[in-house]
Amino acid sequence: MGQRTFRTVAWLAGVVSVASVGTLVNAEDLASLPADQLDWVAWGSDRPAGEVCQGHYVMPDYLLAPAAEAGHVRGQSDTATYGSEGQTELNGRVILRQGEQQLQASQATLANDRSKVDLQGPITYRQPGVLVRGDQGEFGLNNQAADVQRAYFVFHQARLRGNAQRLERLNDGQYRILSGSFTTCEPQSRLWTLNGHNVVINRAAGYGTATHSTLRFYDVPVFYWPWVRFPIDDRRLTGMLYPSVGYSNSNGFDYLQPIYLNLAPNYDATLYPRYMARRGLVMGGQFRYLFDTDRGTIEGNYLNSDKGGSRDDSNYDLLRQKKRWYINFQHDGSFNARTTYQLRYGAASDGNYFEDFGSTFAEQNTDNLERRAQIDYQGDVWHLQARARGYQVMDFPVKDSDKPFYELPSLSANASWQQSSGTYAEWNSNVTNFTRDVRWNDTAIKDTEAVTGARLNLAPAIGYRRAPSWGFFEPRAQMYLTQYQLDWKRANNRDWDKNPGRAVPVLSVDSGLVFERPTHLFGSDWRQTLEPRLYYAYVPHRNQDNLPTFDTDYLSPSWSQLWTPFRFNGIDRIGDVNKLSYGVSSRFLEDATGRERFAASIGQSRYFEDRKVTDNDPSKHFDDQKSDYWYMNHRKNSPAIGQLTWNINDRYRVRYANFFDTERGHTERNEVYLHYQHPAGRIFNLGYRWQVKDFDPSGDLEDRLGYNREEYDTSFALKVNGPFSVVGRYLFDHTNDRSLETLAGVQYNDCCYAVEVAWRVYRDDNDTTNRIDDDELKRGIFLRFMLKGLGGLGNKPETYYQQAIEGYDPVLFQ
């Protein structure tokens, strides 16, 4: 017979047979039902990248079309009869559909008032994202309530499945599980289950609650809650998060218990009480907020009295019984589409705070905390900015000579005009007031840094750039007009000019050609380029010895420095230069894909005059002909720089760079890296670095390398077998025959749970690169454990993995 449409007050039945729903297994454990009876479908070639589950839940198509009118029911069965009390009995393969609900059973009895239907099993109940199977049940046709005995259930989106002696669907759409258990593990896996006497799943709110519940691992009880609330999706819930556990030689046993407060849809808070056996109890918290045009975070920690850590720590006596604290405020907002503003304020009790209290490897490497208030206007031509900025340097103890200047304030107005002919003009202007909170009699502070005051700099520029496909040509002229108003702090330089000024022209011409030719190599068609480049820069000498150095330092030697007229960053020094840079590059590109497979470059600068402008640092001995800094300013040629990148195939890549002193005839810097990456999750890196002493002129004396450095660096990330992966790094200082860092991590991540153990041993150089006698060896171990669907235990050090292991992708190795 054909299909019929029914109202809930009048039933008929068809006798057309439909597909069987299968046979249920009458057992109590979760693994009793086959995966296909739980809507589980294994992934095939369509498996998404980074997917850790072997399959996913897929709701099959409805067996009946919906009724034409809302609230009506369409049904099928083998037979239909009417009882003596007005009830309707359907037998055989019964299928009923009302809206998005579908019922299957071997027998159905409709009450005479047509308000409910009783089903005999095996029965199957479906609605979008929900599957329930059971022995027998009762379903409301007016309020969609349900009561199923000996039930098995699946919530598709939450990947949550379980069983219950009794499962109820309440009038408000919640589900109650009586004497049941559930898990988010894949079918046939029962690594963990949460068993509860009374469990309520609120899909609309995104959480569940359970009374008298027990967390079990392979049926072994490990934790009991009289009452617990747990998430079933990504929505935020107030409650205790899973703790973080760690151990280090400085802190001893380390336990962090986050408590999350979901205060409102657009703001929340997390409390972070933390106990460290060798430090004490730290109270911390974070508050986040989000508005239409603004967002921000406030966080901080406080320890009333530090136990000092390990007695082997060099700072044990300095920090013991001290108050340790940290605060950080960040805010981003906008007034309109063109005007934005930022606020930053970070402060800590001391510069050793993150080394002692950082909860991840990356956090332990924090170098500074920023304080900044900034507003920007970005127009079509003009960019206007006003800011106040400073930093707290995270050194301990921090030296006055290492403290940066504060910009209070800094105002900039920059503009750019571009003509279709290639001519362009720029207006660059800035005025900044510099202050500093230091003891001015500290002998480590250079004379040119023992000063406060204001600096006005105007730097207009004009130029012309023509860049057709066969090359480019760009002459450029810029004028740096700088005026100071200064307050010199030392007696020996108080007679220096308090209002010095400077006018320095910066002239340059950049040009290059691009030649191409087709070629055939290794059985493939290629396009090879030859790209010669010629660059000339001239900056005349202007005496700047008595100018301050508020924010200026030497630029590190690099390929890009060949093609710039500047020897310093910042404005306080415009280094004189008269040089011609020349170089050539060649690239090989695949015709079929356009991908660059090989690129090689070599270049050098020829100086026509000695350089006279310096930063006036007496520790560099610019007048001593045996000094490397004297040589830097008197050499006739820059290092000859060669570099290449070879993408051997889609998996192997080689990088190489060499800085060779053609006058002294030796290598100043040498780097080579081999990178292997397989899309299935295999990464291997091997690197070698050599750098001669004092090669890099930037930085303070204690930061500069005081010996020839030779290092080997190897790292890897490997998915060993499905969800199991390992990561590691070993950095070795061959010059001093010592390990600088050893990192090892083991990760297991599947649909059910994730666990990660990371161990790190590293050298802390105490900010004295040119000495090794005061270096400290530090150790730490971190644990992260996550039950999918119940939250996580521990913090993820993956941000540091991305720094330490080239090519590491947390999506692939999650």
Side-chain angles (χ1 to χ4, degrees):
M1 292 181 61
Q3 298 178 355
R4 303 287 201 277
T5 299
F6 305 94
R7 298 179 183 272
T8 57
V9 295
W11 282 77
L12 295 175
V15 294
V16 177
S17 176
V18 296
S20 171
V21 299
T23 303
L24 292 177
V25 181
N26 291 324
E28 296 296 328
D29 62 275
L30 285 172
S32 59
L33 283 184
D36 60 348
Q37 290 199 27
L38 296 174
D39 292 348
W40 182 260
V41 178
W43 290 109
S45 59
D46 58 341
R47 183 172 182 169
E51 175 59 57
V52 296
C53 294
Q54 299 301 311
H56 57 141
Y57 292 105
V58 178
M59 181 176 174
D61 295 334
Y62 285 100
L63 299 177
L64 289 178
E69 298 182 38
H72 290 200
V73 177
R74 175 168 288 177
Q76 287 184 344
S77 66
D78 289 341
T79 62
T81 59
Y82 291 96
S84 58
E85 298 181 359
Q87 73 272 23
T88 303
E89 295 185 358
L90 309 176
N91 293 281
R93 295 169 179 171
V94 179
I95 305 174
L96 304 174
R97 180 172 179 186
Q98 182 186 44
E100 293 187 325
Q101 296 186 96
Q102 178 177 280
L103 298 171
Q104 296 171 258
S106 58
Q107 181 180 343
T109 301
L110 178 68
N112 58 358
D113 61 359
R114 306 309 189 244
S115 61
K116 66 178 182 178
V117 59
D118 292 322
L119 301 179
Q120 297 298 319
I123 66 173
T124 301
Y125 168 78
R126 293 187 182 279
Q127 70 175 96
V130 176
L131 166 66
V132 179
R133 296 186 185 274
D135 285 355
Q136 61 184 26
E138 179 181 290
F139 295 85
L141 299 176
N142 296 327
N143 56 16
Q144 297 185 356
D147 188 343
V148 181
Q149 306 296 319
R150 295 177 57 83
Y152 297 85
F153 58 88
V154 176
F155 297 102
H156 294 161
Q157 186 175 1
R159 289 181 174 175
L160 187 147
R161 64 182 179 88
N163 66 350
Q165 287 293 326
R166 182 179 176 185
L167 184 143
E168 298 176 350
R169 188 181 192 279
L170 308 180
N171 293 341
D172 57 5
Q174 298 186 74
Y175 290 83
R176 175 182 291 143
I177 301 166
L178 301 175
S179 299
S181 61
F182 67 87
T183 184
T184 57
C185 295
E186 296 175 323
Q188 314 307 320
S189 171
R190 53 183 303 114
L191 182 133
W192 71 266
T193 59
L194 187 67
N195 295 35
H197 176 71
N198 186 345
V199 181
V200 177
I201 305 294
N202 190 333
R203 296 175 68 211
Y207 67 87
T209 61
T211 59
H212 300 295
S213 57
T214 304
L215 178 65
R216 294 174 175 262
F217 282 89
Y218 292 111
D219 290 331
V220 177
V222 296
F223 201 86
Y224 169 78
W225 291 278
W227 181 89
V228 64
R229 182 164 66 171
F230 53 89
I232 61 172
D233 56 27
D234 294 332
R235 278 176 284 185
R236 300 173 291 134
L237 296 174
T238 295
M240 295 178 65
L241 305 179
Y242 279 86
S244 172
V245 182
Y247 179 86
S248 68
N249 57 333
S250 293
N251 298 339
F253 175 73
D254 189 342
Y255 182 88
L256 173 67
Q257 177 60 70
I259 303 171
Y260 180 76
L261 305 176
N262 184 24
L263 303 176
N266 63 326
Y267 58 88
D268 61 16
T270 307
L271 304 179
Y272 290 102
R274 180 181 182 187
Y275 173 75
M276 291 169 283
R278 296 177 180 173
R279 297 286 180 185
L281 179 63
V282 178
M283 296 303 298
Q286 180 190 75
F287 178 77
R288 302 185 303 174
Y289 55 90
L290 174 65
F291 301 103
D292 291 340
T293 59
D294 298 73
R295 65 177 60 200
T297 303
I298 305 172
E299 62 183 7
N301 296 309
Y302 180 78
L303 172 61
N304 186 58
S305 179
D306 189 356
K307 294 181 182 179
S310 170
R311 292 182 179 273
D312 295 332
D313 293 346
S314 60
N315 297 317
Y316 177 81
D317 293 327
L318 295 174
L319 296 174
R320 187 168 177 268
Q321 297 182 345
K322 299 293 184 181
K323 291 179 171 60
R324 309 289 299 278
W325 54 267
Y326 155 72
I327 186 171
N328 191 30
F329 168 62
Q330 297 188 17
H331 180 94
D332 295 277
S334 63
F335 296 111
N336 51 54
R338 293 185 180 271
T339 309
T340 61
Y341 69 97
Q342 296 180 331
L343 300 173
R344 302 285 187 270
Y345 183 82
S349 56
D350 55 84
N352 222 51
Y353 180 88
F354 288 104
E355 287 191 22
D356 293 340
F357 298 101
S359 57
T360 66
F361 298 145
E363 195 173 79
Q364 290 173 349
N365 291 343
T366 301
D367 294 325
N368 57 68
L369 293 173
E370 184 182 22
R371 293 95 181 259
R372 174 162 54 95
Q374 178 174 315
I375 183 170
D376 288 86
Y377 169 80
Q378 184 65 62
D380 295 330
V381 174
W382 286 91
H383 176 206
L384 308 179
Q385 182 184 93
R387 77 181 181 203
R389 184 174 66 173
Y391 297 92
Q392 178 181 352
V393 177
M394 299 308 292
D395 294 340
F396 186 79
V398 61
K399 301 176 183 178
D400 281 345
S401 58
D402 291 334
K403 293 180 180 179
F405 285 90
Y406 277 71
E407 301 173 357
L408 297 175
S410 178
L411 307 175
S412 298
N414 303 319
S416 177
W417 297 269
Q418 183 76 42
Q419 302 294 325
S420 58
S421 62
T423 303
Y424 64 86
E426 296 177 4
W427 173 262
N428 304 287
S429 60
N430 172 266
V431 58
T432 301
N433 183 63
F434 294 94
T435 65
R436 201 179 191 190
D437 182 19
V438 296
R439 296 165 299 172
W440 297 111
N441 60 352
D442 186 343
T443 57
I445 298 177
K446 296 182 293 185
D447 285 347
T448 53
E449 293 182 348
V451 61
T452 59
R455 181 188 68 201
L456 170 66
N457 185 72
L458 308 178
I462 59 172
Y464 171 83
R465 182 172 178 84
R466 180 68 174 165
S469 60
W470 47 265
F472 65 92
F473 176 69
E474 182 179 8
R476 177 183 171 91
Q478 190 166 16
M479 192 70 179
Y480 278 80
L481 304 169
T482 313
Q483 187 69 40
Y484 293 87
Q485 186 176 23
L486 304 174
D487 179 14
W488 297 102
K489 301 297 183 179
R490 289 183 179 161
N492 65 327
N493 61 10
R494 283 177 182 165
D495 58 346
W496 288 8
D497 192 348
K498 295 183 179 180
N499 299 105
R502 177 194 63 191
V504 185
V506 178
L507 308 174
S508 64
V509 179
D510 198 1
S511 61
L513 296 173
V514 179
F515 300 97
E516 292 186 359
R517 68 164 186 173
T519 186
H520 188 81
L521 295 171
F522 312 113
S524 299
D525 292 326
W526 302 77
R527 184 162 299 274
Q528 181 189 5
T529 70
L530 185 68
E531 304 170 39
R533 185 175 183 181
L534 201 62
Y535 178 85
Y536 176 75
Y538 177 73
V539 181
H541 171 252
R542 296 291 187 269
N543 191 327
Q544 301 167 57
D545 290 346
N546 292 346
L547 295 184
T549 52
F550 290 129
D551 58 358
T552 296
D553 198 1
Y554 279 96
L555 289 171
S556 300
S558 65
W559 172 263
S560 61
Q561 196 185 10
L562 296 177
W563 321 107
T564 177
F566 301 108
R567 297 192 288 118
F568 299 86
N569 59 23
I571 296 173
D572 297 311
R573 291 294 186 273
I574 304 298
D576 56 316
V577 69
N578 185 2
K579 73 174 182 180
L580 178 68
S581 298
Y582 40 86
V584 62
S585 301
S586 182
R587 296 181 295 149
F588 286 82
L589 301 97
E590 289 180 331
D591 263 3
T593 64
R595 180 176 179 181
E596 181 182 284
R597 285 294 187 182
F598 182 85
S601 303
I602 186 169
Q604 188 178 29
S605 292
R606 170 68 177 179
Y607 298 110
F608 301 111
E609 297 177 6
D610 293 338
R611 278 71 63 206
K612 300 181 180 64
V613 176
T614 71
D615 64 355
N616 271 20
D617 184 348
S619 69
K620 298 176 181 177
H621 306 291
F622 291 105
D623 296 330
D624 184 357
Q625 295 188 15
K626 296 181 180 180
S627 164
D628 287 325
Y629 289 92
W630 183 94
Y631 176 69
M632 176 186 69
N633 287 335
H634 290 78
R635 64 194 300 175
K636 300 301 182 184
N637 299 282
S638 74
I641 303 175
Q643 57 184 21
L644 65 84
T645 301
W646 183 15
N647 297 304
I648 302 173
N649 53 38
D650 291 341
R651 299 178 184 178
Y652 287 93
R653 181 173 70 250
V654 175
R655 298 197 321 271
Y656 176 75
N658 183 280
F659 293 68
F660 187 79
D661 187 341
T662 57
E663 297 179 38
R664 290 179 170 178
H666 66 76
T667 296
E668 294 183 287
R669 185 177 181 181
N670 197 25
E671 298 178 349
V672 60
Y673 290 90
L674 171 66
H675 174 70
Y676 169 80
Q677 185 161 1
H678 191 283
R682 293 190 289 273
I683 296 173
F684 179 76
N685 300 301
L686 182 62
Y688 170 81
R689 290 186 292 269
W690 156 268
Q691 183 171 306
V692 72
K693 172 186 175 182
D694 285 333
F695 170 75
D696 188 348
S698 63
D700 295 328
L701 175 63
E702 66 268 19
D703 296 327
R704 296 197 300 271
L705 193 65
Y707 50 86
N708 297 340
R709 180 178 65 188
E710 187 176 19
E711 291 179 355
Y712 297 92
D713 189 356
T714 182
S715 61
F716 66 91
L718 178 65
K719 292 185 77 70
V720 179
N721 181 17
F724 184 75
S725 63
V726 294
V727 297
R729 185 191 189 194
Y730 183 69
L731 180 60
F732 181 73
D733 176 6
H734 185 264
T735 303
N736 299 296
D737 193 25
R738 60 178 186 161
S739 169
L740 295 178
E741 180 177 19
T742 301
L743 171 70
V746 179
Q747 303 169 310
Y748 183 90
N749 187 34
D750 67 7
C751 197
C752 181
Y753 75 105
V755 62
E756 179 177 31
V757 179
W759 172 70
R760 185 187 182 209
V761 180
Y762 66 100
R763 301 272 178 180
D764 182 3
D765 68 3
N766 283 320
D767 300 300
T768 54
T769 305
N770 53 11
R771 291 177 51 195
I772 65 171
D773 57 294
D774 62 344
D775 291 358
E776 290 186 72
L777 190 66
K778 294 193 174 183
R779 300 178 178 87
I781 186 169
F782 294 88
L783 168 68
R784 178 176 69 102
F785 190 80
M786 178 183 292
L787 300 180
K788 302 297 181 68
L790 286 182
L793 171 66
N795 294 304
K796 298 188 292 184
E798 282 140 348
T799 55
Y800 181 75
Y801 288 171
Q802 290 175 274
Q803 300 172 23
I805 305 171
E806 181 180 351
Y808 180 86
D809 184 355
V811 174
L812 186 59
F813 293 92
Q814 59 181 333

